[in-house]
């Protein structure tokens, strides 16, 4: 059953606080400068910003895949790498392994046998609507289905925090909407914490209770917008005046963030 809906930021206990976090790469690029960000348990927090504003860098720092060059990440409560799930834009599945075995992988790496893992794998596949596809291999799946496998693989260890780096950016809009809906359903049922990177205003507003808008050169937090709309959110919300108004607000903040970015406006990947 869904728990009490989160309608605004600042309700759950603090899970992680980034304090004055900076990241300067060895080539001299300041990817992040003086980032202060508090992530609360149960948040669905989006990092929204233009290409190059340090979204992926921030996510990698939170994942422990990289370390800050200044500032600290202050984790509250015991959390280790197995409490963190990561979903990338590319589903990065093992091409020779079937769906079941791809989702089993993180448990297998922890020493859990196929038989012992089966209930958890089967449950996660049901949660992402892939029951019946256990024996399919990745090349037989659509892009959306591959992403579902990737989400099931990240969630099979029941992480407390799920980090997603533009997971749906390569999908068509209909598939993206479906995955947005299904991800929200999963989040509402399990009530883990999500940090979601996107450059889509519409996606960030639809999904999140908090949208953190970032600016580039140097990458930094520009502003935060609370999305005060109740969950569950569905197609009614997606077509509502409230949603349109919030998207306009987020879009204005994003335009402002882009205009305050120093240096040449560049590329676009
Ligand atoms: N490993 C790296 N070495 C040097 N520069 C990097 C590295 N990774 C990212 N950058 C630079 O840091 C900045 C932020 O990158 P990134 O976090 O990937 O931004 P985003 O995900 O918002 O597009 C960019 O200017 C990028 O070129
Ligand atoms: Mg990125």
């Amino acid at each position: 059953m869904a728990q009490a809906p989160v309608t605004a930021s600042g309700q759950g206990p603090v899970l992680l606080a980034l304090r004055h976090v900076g990241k300067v790469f060895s080539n001299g690029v300041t990817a992040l400068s003086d980032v202060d960000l508090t992530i609360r348990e149960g948040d669905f927090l989006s990092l929204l910003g233009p290409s190059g504003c340090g979204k992926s860098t921030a996510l990698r720092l939170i994942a422990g895949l990289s370390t800050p060059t200044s500032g600290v990440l202050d984790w509250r409560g015991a959390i280790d790498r197995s409490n963190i799930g990561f979903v990338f834009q590319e589903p990065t599945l093992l091409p020779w392994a079937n769906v079941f075995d791809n989702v089993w992988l993180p448990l297998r790496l922890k020493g859990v046998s196929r038989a012992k893992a089966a209930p958890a794998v089967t449950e996660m596949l049901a949660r992402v609507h892939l029951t019946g596809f256990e024996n399919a291999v990745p090349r037989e799946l659509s892009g959306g289905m591959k992403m579902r496998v990737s989400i099931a693989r990240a969630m099979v260890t029941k992480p407390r925090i799920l980090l997603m780096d533009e997971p749906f950016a390569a999908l068509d809009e209909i598939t993206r909407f479906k995955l947005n809906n299904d991800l929200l359903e999963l989040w509402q049922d399990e009530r883990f914490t999500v940090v979601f990177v996107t450059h889509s205003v519409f996606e960030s507003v639809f999904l999140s209770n908090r949208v953190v808008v970032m600016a580039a050169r140097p990458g930094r937090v520009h502003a935060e917008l609370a999305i005060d709309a109740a969950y569950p959110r569905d197609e009614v919300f997606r077509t509502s005046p409230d949603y349109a108004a919030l998207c306009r607000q987020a879009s204005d903040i994003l335009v402002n963030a882009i205009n305050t970015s120093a240096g040449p406006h560049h590329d676009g990947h």
Side-chain angles (χ1 to χ4, degrees):
M1 274 306 293
Q3 297 173 26
V6 173
T7 54
S9 58
Q11 293 185 340
V14 174
L15 180 63
L16 169 65
L18 282 74
R19 293 190 216 289
H20 306 298
V21 166
K23 179 74 183 182
V24 181
F25 286 107
S26 50
N27 61 358
V29 171
T30 302
L32 291 174
S33 170
D34 202 22
V35 169
D36 276 310
L37 182 64
T38 301
I39 299 166
R40 292 175 180 276
E41 273 181 48
D43 268 346
F44 198 120
L45 184 149
S46 284
L47 298 178
L48 172 69
S51 176
C53 71
K55 303 181 297 294
S56 295
T57 301
L59 220 53
R60 288 176 56 79
L61 290 176
I62 295 170
L65 297 170
S66 166
T67 52
T69 42
S70 57
V72 291
L73 279 79
D74 183 5
W75 286 99
R76 302 298 172 80
I79 196 153
D80 64 52
R81 287 290 288 279
S82 69
N83 292 131
I84 302 176
F86 209 124
V87 173
F88 301 90
Q89 182 177 334
E90 291 299 319
T92 63
L93 305 177
L94 303 175
W96 61 86
N98 68 22
V99 165
F100 183 100
D101 289 342
N102 267 287
V103 176
W104 169 36
L105 180 70
L107 292 172
R108 184 178 158 196
L109 293 174
K110 288 177 154 192
V112 183
S113 72
R114 203 171 192 277
K116 270 249 168 64
V121 172
T122 301
E123 191 213 319
M124 268 326 298
L125 287 175
R127 303 304 304 271
V128 298
H129 306 294
L130 282 179
T131 301
F133 291 93
E134 291 80 359
N135 296 319
V137 289
R139 69 179 150 73
E140 299 171 317
L141 304 177
S142 67
M145 290 164 89
K146 281 185 217 165
M147 187 47 71
R148 289 175 186 279
V149 178
S150 177
I151 292 169
R153 182 184 53 188
M155 289 303 299
V156 77
T157 56
K158 304 270 181 204
R160 281 171 66 193
I161 181 164
L162 180 64
L163 309 176
M164 307 183 85
D165 195 351
E166 307 206 28
F168 309 141
L171 303 176
D172 66 80
E173 194 166 74
I174 302 297
T175 304
R176 181 194 273 228
F177 285 179
K178 278 197 196 129
L179 278 154
N180 283 174
N181 294 343
D182 292 346
L183 174 62
L184 274 189
E185 196 179 304
L186 187 64
W187 170 73
Q188 279 199 269
D189 288 351
E190 305 279 331
R191 198 37 65 85
F192 45 96
T193 304
V194 182
V195 183
F196 189 97
V197 165
T198 181
H199 53 245
S200 164
V201 166
F202 303 103
E203 185 169 55
S204 69
V205 171
F206 182 74
L207 292 171
S208 321
N209 66 314
R210 300 169 62 195
V211 174
V212 173
V213 180
M214 296 177 66
R217 290 177 296 281
R220 63 200 185 275
V221 172
H222 174 73
E224 178 170 337
L225 179 64
I227 307 298
D228 262 317
Y231 295 94
R233 296 179 187 169
D234 51 17
E235 296 317 311
V236 175
F237 177 61
R238 204 189 277 287
T239 52
S240 69
D242 280 356
Y243 176 63
L246 286 161
C247 287
R248 198 170 313 123
Q249 227 180 318
S251 180
D252 287 347
I253 297 172
L254 180 61
V255 167
N256 196 268
I258 291 168
N259 288 339
T260 63
S261 295
H265 293 254
H266 75 300
D267 67 59
H269 36 99

